[in-house]
Amino acid sequence: MSNMQLDTLRRIVQEINASASLHESLDIMVNQVAEAMHVDVCSIYLLDERNQRYLLMASKGLNPEAVGHVSLHTSEGLVGLVGQREEIVNLDHAPKHERFMYFPETGEELYNSFLGVPVMYRRKVMGVLVVQNTESQDFSEAAESFLVTLCAQLSGVIAHAHAVSNIDVFRKANNISSYKTFQGLSGSGGIALGRAVVLYPPADLASVPDREAEDISEELELLDRSIEAVRAEIESLDDKMQDALMAEERALFSVFLRMLDENALPAEIKEEIREGNWAQGAVRNVIDKHIALFAQMEDDYLRERVSDLKDLGRRILAFLQEADSSHRELTDESILIGDEISTAALVELPVDKIAAIVTTEGAMNSHMVIVSRALGIPTVVGVTELPINTLDDVEMIVDAHQGRVFINPPRRLRARYKEIQKEEEQIAKDLKQYETKDAITPDGVSVHLYVNTGLMIDVVRGVQRGAKGVGLYRSEIPFMLRDRFPGEEEQRAIYRQQLSHFANKPVVMRTLDIGADKDLPYFSIEEENSALGWRGIRFTLDHPEIFSSQIRAMLKASIGLNNLHILLPMITSVSEVEEALYLLDRDWHAVQEEEQVKIIKPKIGIMVEVPSVLLQIDEFSELVDFFSVGSNDLTQYLLAVDRNNPRVANVYSNFHPAVLRALSRLVQECHKNNKPISLCGEMAGDPLSAVLLMAIGFNTLSMSSSNILRVRKAICHVPMSDAKALLTRALSMNNPLIVKSMMEYYFKTHGLEDMVKASTRIVSA
């Protein structure tokens, strides 16, 4: 594609993104494409799935009266052919083609050349873009490439318009009060009915929700105070830079101050507020409007001022948020929604008031989801089309078993889900009998169930539900809840609590595992591919002072209890373990000398997360005392799928034959070396996969406290002989969906239907 085409493409995309509605976007597109490609006709047909028809939505060149009226079935015409094939159709004499369909009202009998390109979004056809010429000729490869690129951009705009539902894209205007369903991924199972509370990050204009002003005069006063604070901040910056920058380089500060003049931006924002919008929403709308104007300008300098305008908007918003904390207030049955909600943001909130969590980003086993699972909060992630800004205080149902979100649900659906909630409460009561039972199969095989902890609530629930120890203590959580690295004594007190609650039982403490989806607010790691980056042991070995502080705190916390085990995360090579063991040994000697007390040396283990470890069990066995599988990451790396990316979430599966076969070989290798092996990933907490793990040879499984009773019940009901037969069949299969279906069928036919998460009891909406 030439530079000229790229410039044209960029301009069209900018204008589409700046447009106020889908209809305006489509009109811009057909006009701009017709002009840029010098064609007689450019038209866009959108697929109306409900009626299985393509409707002519915009055209430059065809009869304007046909727009909004001409439609054809998905099996009809050249447009239907493009959609059926899901590929380009390029014809030099279209009327001669057997699929050509003539509509007298369009006037297209004049045009011979035809180029149709499908508009695809996530493997689905959204519509067809067509260009036509009177002259008979094939369109060039460059023309095809140009339209394919443009359609890829347009697909997201169309999908968003469908999702937002402020308009019915084919018919009349509507509003968000209509009933709407969205699909995401199940993170933490459960059902919740409540009202949406938008949690938007500090000073992020794009995330500010729509909300009516409760008190217009109060909002105006809030804005005045914030504008004044921003003016003072910019004047201070200008003074500070007097010696460092020349006058022309400081001109931006003057521009900012002029924009903050009472008759400029503030006047427009106040007008929005007087119309009923709250201050934050008014700022977002006004800044967005100006950004759209700037983005359309031909002048490169003015276009580049968009980032300055965004910066100014963020500054105003930051002061507004500081002065008004109401956006963080929660009431009972609040359903927390946001683009991305961090672990730290979640645990800072009153957890007892959060009925459910829904995010547009993230995936099934992100760190936040793992914590929400431990807290027993139904969670749905990866709901990419959710129109967050329009949902504040809207009534919702969250079905986290199926990953579905219902906006403004009808009364019938609410009543059915309330019944399901009661059924689930009864199941929870029935499970309480398993708090005092051991996990022993009907044919006498015992499995040790441990709990994964991080927050104190995990510990309390783990003890209450009869956990035999802690299989994974996530030591990064106390680090995430502070605004700095915690000191050695702070850490010692936290670790002592964990160890004390499980006195006489093993507590496996993982050393600091940050990076990837576990970010510290005061030590952000910016990486293009964080899942394969500076994380786990790689970070701590580069910062031995942080590693040693943590080890010393753990050792001091274990004095007199002697139940500490230390686990090293993200191990890739033997040299990492050797280096860590040297530091551990050095700190063990130093702490004993310091405290003048004998400390039993803790057992040291490594996490099996990186596939390279699977091939070096013999070498690692000479260095460490035990192995613990982190199935979340091991699955991610074996399948080459980012577990935090909702676009490829369907590829990620614990039931994948490669995962089951790798775990089988791993257990054999560990048993050959007489080394204990456990599994502490989310795979352990799903009764379906837990039964397979038991058959593989894992006699220790560690999971979220919310899953212990379900897994214990499953083990108590499934004989090891059945589990081994199921495993043999699973290992011979080649499709994870079939493996999972087989397990679900067994559970449903052996009195364990309530253990199957993908509950068929739940109505389809």
Side-chain angles (χ1 to χ4, degrees):
M1 203 178 290
S2 69
N3 286 339
M4 187 178 294
Q5 283 180 314
L6 285 171
D7 286 341
T8 305
L9 186 65
R10 186 186 66 178
R11 192 189 71 248
I12 295 173
V13 170
Q14 282 175 340
E15 288 195 33
I16 288 171
N17 289 336
S19 63
S21 68
L22 175 66
H23 295 279
E24 189 181 319
S25 294
L26 299 179
D27 284 336
I28 288 168
M29 185 162 183
V30 295
N31 281 287
Q32 293 280 13
V33 168
E35 184 184 330
M37 293 183 68
H38 307 293
V39 292
D40 300 320
V41 174
C42 178
S43 308
I44 180 83
Y45 296 81
L46 290 194
L47 175 61
D48 179 358
E49 273 193 296
R50 184 165 34 185
N51 297 306
Q52 284 296 290
R53 297 190 73 80
Y54 286 103
L55 179 66
L56 178 63
M57 295 291 290
S59 181
K60 167 70 174 172
L62 295 184
N63 183 355
E65 297 295 316
V67 173
H69 294 96
V70 165
S71 74
L72 61 163
H73 193 268
T74 51
S75 61
E76 293 178 333
L78 293 173
V79 169
L81 182 65
V82 174
Q84 282 177 329
R85 287 185 179 176
E86 298 182 1
E87 61 185 23
I88 294 166
V89 172
N90 189 348
L91 303 171
D92 63 350
H93 198 77
K96 285 188 176 178
H97 195 280
E98 60 183 5
R99 286 288 294 266
F100 180 77
M101 204 167 174
Y102 173 55
F103 292 96
E105 58 266 54
T106 63
E108 68 180 326
E109 71 276 9
L110 302 171
Y111 307 109
N112 289 297
S113 305
F114 175 98
L115 174 58
V117 179
V119 181
M120 304 287 296
Y121 185 79
R122 300 211 173 167
R123 304 187 188 185
K124 285 179 67 176
V125 177
M126 306 296 291
V128 175
L129 180 67
V130 174
V131 294
Q132 296 170 278
N133 263 334
T134 49
E135 190 182 338
S136 294
Q137 61 174 47
D138 274 338
F139 284 98
S140 68
E141 193 176 317
E144 290 183 5
S145 175
F146 178 77
L147 289 186
V148 166
T149 310
L150 200 53
C151 285
Q153 297 284 338
L154 182 65
S155 64
V157 176
I158 296 169
H160 180 71
H162 278 293
V164 168
S165 152
N166 286 340
I167 54 169
D168 180 328
V169 296
F170 301 106
R171 292 165 193 84
K172 62 182 186 305
N174 208 335
N175 58 47
I176 198 63
S177 64
S178 59
Y179 165 50
K180 194 81 176 170
T181 306
F182 295 91
Q183 185 66 48
L185 303 165
S186 173
S188 172
I191 303 290
L193 292 85
R195 301 193 84 85
V197 175
V198 178
L199 185 71
Y200 61 103
D204 182 359
L205 279 166
S207 299
V208 174
D210 289 331
R211 187 183 293 175
E212 281 187 26
E214 290 179 13
D215 184 329
I216 288 175
S217 59
E218 197 176 299
E219 295 294 321
L220 290 168
E221 190 181 321
L222 191 63
L223 178 70
D224 282 336
R225 291 205 305 272
S226 299
I227 294 288
E228 197 50 51
V230 174
R231 278 199 198 104
E233 185 179 65
I234 290 167
E235 284 167 355
S236 172
L237 282 171
D238 192 21
D239 290 343
K240 194 175 172 184
M241 291 293 115
Q242 272 192 351
D243 296 331
L245 298 175
M246 295 174 67
E248 57 268 30
E249 292 166 334
R250 289 186 2 252
L252 177 62
F253 298 127
S254 301
V255 172
F256 273 5
L257 290 171
R258 283 199 298 277
M259 291 172 85
L260 290 172
D261 183 87
E262 193 54 43
N263 297 316
L265 286 179
E268 294 181 51
I269 298 169
K270 285 178 180 179
E271 187 57 39
E272 282 260 348
I273 293 172
R274 290 189 188 101
E275 287 175 10
N277 206 344
W278 70 318
Q280 280 95 319
V283 170
R284 185 201 72 197
N285 287 349
V286 170
I287 295 294
D288 280 355
K289 185 175 74 179
H290 283 273
I291 286 171
L293 290 170
F294 274 47
Q296 291 180 59
M297 293 178 180
E298 296 289 334
D299 188 284
D300 285 343
Y301 175 81
L302 289 174
R303 267 207 313 269
E304 285 164 11
R305 297 285 68 77
V306 165
S307 60
D308 296 331
L309 196 58
K310 284 180 181 173
D311 178 62
L312 186 59
R314 279 193 291 264
R315 287 175 187 274
I316 299 169
L317 182 60
F319 279 103
L320 282 170
Q321 286 179 304
E322 196 177 309
D324 170 30
S325 61
S326 63
H327 65 285
R328 295 181 65 88
E329 284 178 11
L330 299 183
T331 55
D332 289 339
E333 301 306 308
S334 291
I335 294 174
L336 208 60
I337 63 172
D339 284 319
E340 202 168 16
I341 296 171
S342 69
T343 306
L346 171 60
V347 296
E348 280 175 356
L349 295 165
V351 171
D352 57 319
K353 292 190 173 182
I354 302 173
I357 298 168
V358 180
T359 65
T360 60
E361 303 293 325
M364 295 176 289
N365 287 318
S366 69
H367 197 261
M368 182 279 289
V369 169
I370 290 167
V371 172
S372 73
R373 204 174 288 150
L375 295 169
I377 301 172
T379 302
V380 177
V381 296
V383 193
T384 51
E385 300 308 327
L386 195 70
I388 286 177
N389 291 1
T390 63
L391 295 182
D392 207 45
D393 203 37
V394 165
E395 192 172 0
M396 295 173 70
I397 293 173
V398 175
D399 177 351
H401 293 299
Q402 297 190 121
R404 301 180 85 180
V405 178
F406 304 94
I407 306 300
N408 291 307
R411 188 180 303 143
R412 173 191 59 82
L413 196 63
R414 287 201 304 272
R416 178 64 186 118
Y417 269 101
K418 280 179 180 171
E419 284 175 27
I420 293 166
Q421 270 190 324
K422 284 180 185 171
E423 289 171 24
E424 296 209 332
E425 285 166 13
Q426 187 57 50
I427 290 169
K429 281 181 188 172
D430 294 343
L431 281 173
K432 281 190 77 67
Q433 65 180 289
Y434 289 91
E435 286 182 352
T436 53
K437 291 186 179 181
D438 288 328
I440 301 174
T441 65
D443 48 0
V445 179
S446 178
V447 180
H448 304 295
L449 301 189
Y450 286 16
V451 65
N452 295 339
T453 67
L455 303 167
M456 273 311 294
I457 194 167
D458 301 322
V459 175
V460 173
R461 287 179 178 166
V463 170
Q464 178 195 339
R465 291 166 188 175
K468 301 300 181 185
V470 175
L472 172 67
Y473 168 63
R474 299 185 175 93
S475 69
E476 60 274 3
I477 289 183
F479 284 73
M480 296 169 100
L481 303 183
R482 283 164 172 72
D483 56 6
R484 55 176 173 72
F485 284 103
E488 190 177 305
E489 179 52 30
E490 281 181 280
Q491 290 184 60
R492 188 205 64 78
I494 295 165
Y495 303 153
R496 183 74 181 183
Q497 271 189 320
Q498 294 277 332
L499 294 165
S500 300
H501 274 79
F502 284 92
N504 304 317
K505 292 174 182 169
V507 175
V508 180
M509 292 194 160
R510 181 174 68 188
T511 59
L512 188 61
D513 186 17
I514 60 164
D517 63 331
K518 298 188 284 284
D519 217 358
L520 299 182
Y522 48 88
F523 196 92
S524 181
I525 300 171
E526 300 282 339
E527 291 183 308
E528 203 166 299
N529 192 338
S530 58
L532 302 180
W534 197 42
R535 54 173 299 199
I537 200 72
R538 300 169 183 178
F539 168 80
T540 46
L541 289 181
D542 281 352
H543 281 280
E545 75 286 6
I546 294 171
F547 184 72
S548 284
S549 170
Q550 189 171 33
I551 295 302
R552 286 166 58 85
M554 287 179 180
L555 291 168
K556 287 179 182 179
S558 74
I559 294 171
L561 292 169
N562 303 323
N563 58 343
L564 170 66
H565 295 55
I566 293 177
L567 185 60
L568 305 174
M570 196 63 185
I571 293 295
T572 308
S573 60
V574 168
S575 60
E576 290 168 337
V577 177
E578 289 172 335
E579 193 176 343
L581 288 177
Y582 165 75
L583 295 172
L584 278 158
D585 195 59
R586 185 191 69 182
D587 292 327
W588 177 60
H589 284 293
V591 170
Q592 287 185 110
E593 194 175 319
E594 233 175 79
E595 299 292 319
Q596 291 294 297
V597 65
K598 175 76 175 165
I599 300 174
I600 293 176
K601 198 169 192 178
K603 291 188 183 301
I604 309 298
I606 63 168
M607 291 200 79
V608 182
E609 301 170 285
V610 181
S612 63
V613 174
L614 296 172
L615 305 175
Q616 289 187 288
I617 294 298
D618 289 345
E619 292 96 319
F620 283 115
S621 292
E622 294 175 12
L623 295 171
V624 300
D625 303 300
F626 67 95
F627 295 91
S628 179
V629 177
S631 62
N632 304 347
D633 272 326
L634 183 61
T635 301
Q636 159 172 265
Y637 296 132
L638 276 174
L639 304 182
V641 53
D642 179 359
R643 63 187 173 99
N644 292 309
N645 184 344
R647 289 192 182 94
V648 290
N650 61 314
V651 183
Y652 182 98
S653 174
N654 289 324
F655 295 96
H656 197 290
V659 175
L660 297 175
R661 291 170 196 174
L663 292 174
S664 296
R665 290 171 191 167
L666 171 64
V667 168
Q668 289 168 18
E669 288 283 303
C670 290
H671 287 173
K672 183 186 79 176
N673 284 282
N674 295 314
K675 293 294 177 184
I677 173 95
S678 61
L679 188 141
C680 63
E682 296 306 315
M683 195 174 178
D686 180 351
L688 300 176
S689 49
V691 165
L692 291 174
L693 293 172
M694 173 179 82
I696 285 171
F698 287 96
N699 64 356
T700 301
L701 299 174
S702 190
M703 65 209 66
S704 164
S705 58
S706 58
N707 289 329
I708 290 176
L709 300 182
R710 297 171 72 247
V711 171
R712 189 176 289 141
K713 178 179 178 179
I715 290 169
C716 288
H717 282 75
V718 180
M720 179 60 90
S721 55
D722 282 15
K724 285 190 176 292
L726 288 164
L727 176 65
T728 301
R729 288 177 62 195
L731 291 174
S732 69
M733 292 173 174
N734 59 14
N735 187 321
L737 293 174
I738 296 174
V739 175
K740 189 177 181 186
S741 294
M742 174 192 72
M743 295 303 296
E744 286 177 350
Y745 179 76
Y746 176 89
F747 271 55
K748 287 174 182 176
T749 54
H750 288 75
L752 291 167
E753 187 172 9
D754 57 327
M755 296 294 99
V756 179
K757 278 187 181 177
S759 178
T760 52
R761 296 175 296 113
I762 294 168
V763 291
S764 177

